[in-house]
Amino acid sequence: MNRFKLFLVTAASVLAIGLGLPNTAMAADPPKPSANTAQVSGDESSAYETGGWVYVAPGGYGSAYVYCPTGRTPTGGGGQSYGTVRAFLTDSYAVDPRGWFAQFYNAGTTGVSVRAYARCA
């Protein structure tokens, strides 16, 4: 009986935490995976860069990169997934003086597209 109560409390906690997280899946089809060409949006003082989409097979890991324009450095960044909510961002950090790296694990049963993004200043 105590194990069952512990299971219910744990399951309820996981659901409550999961419901509070933003869903990074998108509603429309993403562009086909391509080279990591950055796209600039935002003002000139702080640009938001996104890399190209990278396909990650079910049960696999995938890496995505994005680079800030010359003369700018990443001040933060992360990753975005498309196609399933079962893709997990496992690593995200600055690389080189201008780049950002994001690694994903696809725990789903279908493929997923992922990409890195960075805020450049």
Side-chain angles (χ1 to χ4, degrees), residues 2-48:
N2 285 336
R3 286 185 189 178
F4 182 72
K5 287 180 185 178
L6 179 61
F7 171 77
L8 286 179
V9 170
T10 303
S13 299
V14 169
L15 284 175
I17 291 170
L19 294 176
L21 295 176
N23 182 354
T24 57
M26 295 179 225
D29 288 337
K32 294 187 183 208
S34 62
N36 290 339
T37 54
Q39 301 165 350
V40 179
S41 61
D43 64 21
E44 287 298 314
S45 63
S46 182
Y48 176 79

Side-chain angles (χ1 to χ4, degrees), residues 54-65:
V54 177
Y55 177 81
V56 182
Y61 285 88
S63 300
Y65 295 87

